[in-house]
Each structure stands twice: as structure tokens, then as C-alpha cells.
Amino acid sequence: MKKLVSALLALLLTLSVCAFADGETVRVVALNGPTGMGMVKMMKDEAENPGYQFSLESAPDVITPAIIKGEVDIACVPANLASVLFNKTQGGVQVLAVNTLGVLYIVERGDTIHTAEDLRGRTLYVSGKGATPEYAINYILTEAGLDPEKDVDLQFCAEHAECLTNLLANENAVAMLPQPFVTVAQTKASDLRVALDLTEEWDKLQEGGEAPSSMITGVVVARKAFVEANPDAVKAFLTEYAASVAYVNENVDEAAKLIGEYGIVAENVAKVAVPKCNIVCITGEEMKTKLSGYLNVLFAQNPAAVGGQLPDDGFYYTDAQ
């Protein structure tokens, strides 16, 4: 009898692990940052009841070849990289959800910046040349009537830490930093003030539009072959992921502890940063509207930012609704 019970338990465990992808667990990878933060409850739950194989990476460069080679089923990547991958794989990936809205903030040591216009004539340290941060700040400045090349002294740095170093060394300087690095920076400079939330600035510019977009940092993508072969698994994943995001946003202290345990950022930093990271799970037509509008803004500045051309409707997975 005991042997029979043990055998049944083993069978149930096997079924729970394999039910998602034709005998294999679903392989999911996220980045150390807000995309990983939103997934921690799901990661914790699955550690006790396996159904997924989760991993965290520090840079999207590691994720890109893994998706192309079919070594990953679902991945959290920067929004523009999703479009690049779609073009590079000739439609081989689909975006399932927006998982992080804007996380960029203008910070200063003082109280002089209150609108984008206040950046006129200032030195602004930015990391991310040729990437989303550059396109985002260019859009905000241009729409505010400023010429990014003439009216603001944009100084591009190799990394966020370099921006902070320059900010601290120059009294009149301003920097653009992402969360959760803003929170980390404030532990090193108590007089550091968040002057502008670029997500809010973007939303103001989009007000009244026929199809208003949002500033988007990250999305969830999946290999199209995986989506087509495992439709129920995809829907189950999105349901569980949405629940994990809701848990993180509604239980910040508990989520911060998990974030610390997974080594994404320290628990004390996560407690402050989570409410400012704009962690979401937006799917279906709303996802398509927000993301397509955002990619249009990037494409207008530099087509290469989205892989040379805007993705067609096949890029957007809308069956979640």
C-alpha cells in the first residue's frame, strides 16, 4: 500500500512538473531588476511546487541568444529588444504582457527642477546611449520644446554609478537614473531629490491622444512555437504572473524580503523602491495599444531601436483576454 501511495505521489509530481510543455518544465528567465521583482512570489511558489525553471540574469545580452536558440521559453526583456527579436527571428517571438512601465527619474541635489523646461541650460548625466533611456529623454525634451542637442548638455555615461559619481562631483548637475538605483543612490546622498518622474511626464504628453501610449521599460515575450504548442500553459503562466505582480504591489514588506532572498536588490532597498518601479501585468488589447504607441515613438527617432521596422499584429499575443 505504501509503495502504491509513493508511486501515485511520484506520478502526481511528474505531472505537475511536465504539464506545461510537452514533458518539460517551462523555462523562464528574467532580469535582476523590476522584471524579476514582479516574479518573486511566483518563483517562491514554484520552488515548493515545481512547474517552471526560473533563472535571473544581469543583462539582456545573455537572454537574446538563449531565446533565438530555443533554450528559453518565456523571457522578460526590454520593450524595444522584444521588437528587435521579432524582426531578427522573422516573427519567431510574441509579446505576452507589459510587465514594467517607466522607471526613469530625473534627480538633483537641490530644488530647481520642476518641469522639463527647467532642464534648459543644465548638464544632464544619462546612461544608456543608443538605448531606451536616450530615446525617452529625447522625446520628453523635444515635446517640451527643447532641442536635446543644443538646449541641454547631455553627458552619456557607461553605467548608472558613473552618473551618480558625476552628479555628486558637480553641484549644478542633474542625472537621469532608473529605479531601484535611485533608492540605492539616496542611501549614498541624503540630499538627492527626485525632481521628475519621466513616466508621469510621458503620460501628460499623451493625454487626449486617440491611442495614448505609455513609457514602457520591460515586457514578457515567448517563443511563438512555444505559444502555439502550449496555449493552455501560456494562459496559466499569465494568470500566475498577474497574481505574483499583485502580491508584490500589495504586500511590499513581504515581497521585499523575497526580493532580498533572490539577490535582486537588498531588502531595505526593495521596501522603498517597489512602489516606484511601476511593476504591472498588462495584457491583451491594452498591452498592444500601449506598447505599439511606445515603439512608434522609438521608431520615429531611430528605426534601428526597434529592429529596423515596426512589428506587425503577429507580434502581440492578445488571447489572454
Side-chain angles (χ1 to χ4, degrees), residues 56 97 115 139 149 198 234 258:
L56 291 167
T115 67
Y139 174 70
E149 296 183 358
L198 291 197
V234 172
L258 291 176

Side-chain angles (χ1 to χ4, degrees), residues 35-316:
T35 62
M37 290 179 181
M39 200 171 278
V40 290
K41 182 61 166 61
M42 193 177 179
M43 293 166 67
K44 181 68 172 179
D45 290 345
E46 290 304 320
E48 300 170 359
N49 181 27
Y52 301 93
Q53 177 185 317
F54 288 102
S55 60
L56 291 167
E57 298 291 348
S58 58
D61 292 349
V62 179
I63 300 177
T64 298
I67 295 173
I68 293 173
K69 294 177 183 178
E71 297 170 352
V72 170
D73 302 311
I74 296 174
C76 300
V77 299
N80 69 307
L81 178 57
S83 179
V84 171
L85 283 169
F86 179 81
N87 286 314
K88 184 174 290 188
T89 60
Q90 298 181 325
V93 300
Q94 282 188 299
V95 60
L96 305 181
V98 170
N99 62 9
T100 317
L101 297 177
V103 296
L104 294 171
Y105 295 82
I106 301 296
V107 298
E108 65 169 334
R109 301 178 71 190
D111 190 15
T112 62
I113 305 297
H114 299 279
T115 67
E117 171 62 31
D118 294 332
L119 292 169
R120 187 183 296 273
R122 302 293 293 271
T123 297
L124 176 62
Y125 290 99
V126 181
S127 63
K129 185 171 179 58
T132 299
E134 179 182 9
Y135 305 130
I137 190 60
N138 282 347
Y139 174 70
I140 297 295
L141 293 174
T142 300
E143 292 300 311
L146 300 174
D147 185 334
E149 296 183 358
K150 298 178 180 178
D151 297 325
V152 181
D153 181 16
L154 288 175
Q155 293 290 322
F156 287 94
C157 303
E159 55 188 23
H160 308 321
E162 185 181 346
C163 290
L164 179 59
T165 298
N166 285 311
L167 177 65
L168 299 180
N170 298 279
E171 186 176 343
N172 195 44
V174 187
M176 185 173 77
L177 299 172
Q179 284 287 6
F181 193 81
V182 171
T183 301
V184 174
Q186 288 176 320
T187 66
K188 300 179 179 180
S190 59
D191 61 342
L192 197 65
R193 169 182 167 268
V194 173
L196 296 176
D197 177 342
L198 291 197
T199 302
E200 292 182 359
E201 297 301 311
W202 185 291
D203 290 345
K204 290 176 186 176
L205 294 172
Q206 292 290 315
E207 284 179 2
E210 292 184 4
S213 68
S214 293
M215 179 180 286
I216 296 173
T217 297
V219 298
V220 182
V221 300
R223 292 184 296 108
K224 188 174 183 180
F226 174 81
V227 174
E228 292 176 343
N230 303 277
D232 292 339
V234 172
K235 291 180 181 179
F237 169 84
L238 287 173
T239 298
E240 294 176 50
Y241 186 53
S244 181
V245 168
Y247 176 88
V248 169
N249 286 325
E250 295 167 9
N251 303 274
V252 175
D253 288 351
E254 294 85 350
K257 184 176 181 180
L258 291 176
I259 290 167
E261 288 177 3
Y262 282 103
I264 297 172
V265 294
E267 179 180 348
N268 64 316
V269 171
K271 283 183 179 181
V272 179
V274 165
K276 303 171 184 177
C277 283
N278 290 318
I279 299 168
V280 297
C281 183
I282 300 173
T283 59
E285 291 297 332
E286 182 183 2
M287 171 268 290
K288 181 180 177 180
T289 297
K290 291 181 180 295
L291 180 56
S292 61
Y294 174 75
L295 294 176
N296 267 292
V297 171
L298 268 59
F299 180 81
Q301 291 190 46
N302 182 4
V306 298
Q309 61 184 7
L310 290 168
D312 60 30
D313 287 348
F315 177 58
Y316 303 96

